[in-house]
Amino acid sequence: MVDITTFISAEEFILSQNHSSPSRPRDPFAQQCYAELVQSLIYFDEVLVPHPTKLDPIPADYGELPRILRHLFDLRIAVPMSIGPGSTATLVTAEHAGGERDRGGDFGGPRDTQ
Protein backbone atom coordinates (compact mmCIF):
# COMPACT_ATOMS: atom_id res chain seq x y z
CA MET A 1 0.00 0.00 0.00
CA VAL A 2 1.31 3.41 -0.99
CA ASP A 3 -0.58 6.61 -0.14
CA ILE A 4 -1.27 9.42 -2.55
CA THR A 5 1.24 11.81 -0.95
CA THR A 6 4.05 9.37 -1.78
CA PHE A 7 3.10 9.54 -5.47
CA ILE A 8 2.93 13.34 -5.36
CA SER A 9 6.37 13.70 -3.75
CA ALA A 10 7.93 11.01 -5.94
CA GLU A 11 6.70 12.83 -9.04
CA GLU A 12 8.09 16.10 -7.69
CA PHE A 13 11.47 14.43 -7.22
CA ILE A 14 11.42 12.99 -10.75
CA LEU A 15 10.51 16.35 -12.26
CA SER A 16 13.24 18.13 -10.28
CA GLN A 17 15.80 15.67 -11.66
CA ASN A 18 14.66 16.08 -15.28
CA HIS A 19 15.79 19.70 -15.61
CA SER A 20 18.97 20.46 -17.58
CA SER A 21 20.70 21.16 -14.29
CA PRO A 22 19.04 19.01 -11.59
CA SER A 23 17.77 21.01 -8.67
CA ARG A 24 16.99 19.97 -5.17
CA PRO A 25 13.33 19.10 -4.71
CA ARG A 26 11.34 21.61 -2.66
CA ASP A 27 9.96 18.79 -0.55
CA PRO A 28 12.74 17.38 1.65
CA PHE A 29 11.01 13.98 1.66
CA ALA A 30 10.61 13.75 -2.13
CA GLN A 31 13.70 11.61 -2.69
CA GLN A 32 12.66 9.22 0.10
CA CYS A 33 9.16 8.97 -1.37
CA TYR A 34 10.65 8.22 -4.78
CA ALA A 35 12.77 5.42 -3.26
CA GLU A 36 9.74 4.03 -1.38
CA LEU A 37 7.65 4.03 -4.56
CA VAL A 38 10.35 2.33 -6.62
CA GLN A 39 10.82 -0.35 -3.95
CA SER A 40 7.07 -0.97 -3.81
CA LEU A 41 6.90 -1.31 -7.58
CA ILE A 42 9.80 -3.77 -7.57
CA TYR A 43 8.71 -5.96 -4.67
CA PHE A 44 4.92 -6.08 -5.07
CA ASP A 45 2.84 -7.45 -7.93
CA GLU A 46 0.39 -4.61 -7.49
CA VAL A 47 0.44 -1.48 -5.40
CA LEU A 48 -2.75 -0.66 -3.51
CA VAL A 49 -3.56 3.05 -3.28
CA PRO A 50 -6.08 4.14 -0.62
CA HIS A 51 -8.28 7.11 -1.47
CA PRO A 52 -8.29 9.87 1.15
CA THR A 53 -12.11 10.01 1.38
CA LYS A 54 -13.71 7.14 -0.59
CA LEU A 55 -13.94 3.54 0.59
CA ASP A 56 -14.54 2.02 -2.86
CA PRO A 57 -12.78 4.34 -5.33
CA ILE A 58 -12.18 3.98 -9.05
CA PRO A 59 -9.09 5.44 -10.77
CA ALA A 60 -11.02 8.52 -11.94
CA ASP A 61 -11.72 9.43 -8.29
CA TYR A 62 -8.03 10.28 -7.80
CA GLY A 63 -8.06 13.08 -10.38
CA GLU A 64 -5.56 13.79 -13.14
CA LEU A 65 -2.54 14.43 -10.92
CA PRO A 66 -0.08 13.08 -10.06
CA ARG A 67 0.54 11.86 -13.59
CA ILE A 68 2.73 8.98 -12.42
CA LEU A 69 -0.26 7.55 -10.53
CA ARG A 70 -2.50 7.90 -13.61
CA HIS A 71 0.03 5.99 -15.73
CA LEU A 72 0.43 3.24 -13.12
CA PHE A 73 -3.37 2.91 -12.92
CA ASP A 74 -3.51 2.64 -16.73
CA LEU A 75 -0.89 -0.14 -16.62
CA ARG A 76 -2.77 -1.81 -13.72
CA ILE A 77 0.41 -1.81 -11.65
CA ALA A 78 -1.26 0.46 -9.11
CA VAL A 79 -4.88 -0.23 -8.20
CA PRO A 80 -7.37 1.66 -6.03
CA MET A 81 -7.66 0.12 -2.59
CA SER A 82 -11.23 -0.94 -1.92
CA ILE A 83 -12.47 -1.22 1.64
CA GLY A 84 -15.58 -3.37 1.84
CA PRO A 85 -18.70 -2.46 3.80
CA GLY A 86 -17.87 -5.14 6.38
CA SER A 87 -14.79 -3.15 7.42
CA THR A 88 -16.63 0.10 8.12
CA ALA A 89 -17.14 -0.62 11.84
CA THR A 90 -13.45 -1.47 12.25
CA LEU A 91 -12.47 1.77 10.52
CA VAL A 92 -14.75 3.84 12.73
CA THR A 93 -13.29 2.20 15.84
CA ALA A 94 -9.70 2.76 14.65
CA GLU A 95 -10.45 6.38 13.72
CA HIS A 96 -12.02 6.99 17.13
CA ALA A 97 -9.01 5.41 18.89
CA GLY A 98 -6.65 7.55 16.81
CA GLY A 99 -8.59 10.66 17.75
CA GLU A 100 -8.37 9.75 21.44
CA ARG A 101 -4.58 9.37 21.15
CA ASP A 102 -4.32 12.74 19.42
CA ARG A 103 -6.25 14.36 22.28
CA GLY A 104 -4.09 12.69 24.91
CA GLY A 105 -6.70 10.10 25.84
CA ASP A 106 -6.01 6.62 27.15
CA PHE A 107 -4.83 4.34 24.37
CA GLY A 108 -3.41 1.48 26.38
CA GLY A 109 0.17 2.70 26.29
CA PRO A 110 2.59 3.06 29.19
CA ARG A 111 1.72 5.65 31.76
CA ASP A 112 3.95 8.19 33.43
CA THR A 113 3.55 7.56 37.17
CA GLN A 114 5.48 10.58 38.42
Side-chain angles (χ1 to χ4, degrees), residues 16-61:
S16 73
Q17 298 305 301
N18 284 337
H19 291 88
S20 57
S21 59
S23 61
R24 296 186 69 130
R26 288 176 286 154
D27 179 355
F29 301 106
Q31 186 172 4
Q32 179 60 37
C33 289
Y34 171 76
E36 178 183 329
L37 180 57
V38 169
Q39 289 173 352
S40 296
L41 294 171
I42 290 170
Y43 292 117
F44 299 109
D45 293 332
E46 67 180 11
V47 175
L48 296 174
V49 185
H51 191 277
T53 60
K54 296 184 183 253
L55 297 180
D56 193 22
I58 60 172
D61 292 332

Side-chain angles (χ1 to χ4, degrees), residues 10-11 31 40-41 50-52 55 63 73 79 82 85 89 94 96-97 100 104 109:
E11 184 169 285
Q31 186 172 4
S40 296
L41 294 171
H51 191 277
L55 297 180
F73 277 155
V79 295
S82 181
H96 183 295
E100 288 298 314

Side-chain angles (χ1 to χ4, degrees), residues 69-84:
L69 178 59
R70 301 284 336 142
H71 291 301
L72 291 172
F73 277 155
D74 290 344
L75 294 170
R76 298 184 206 282
I77 295 170
V79 295
M81 184 173 139
S82 181
I83 299 170

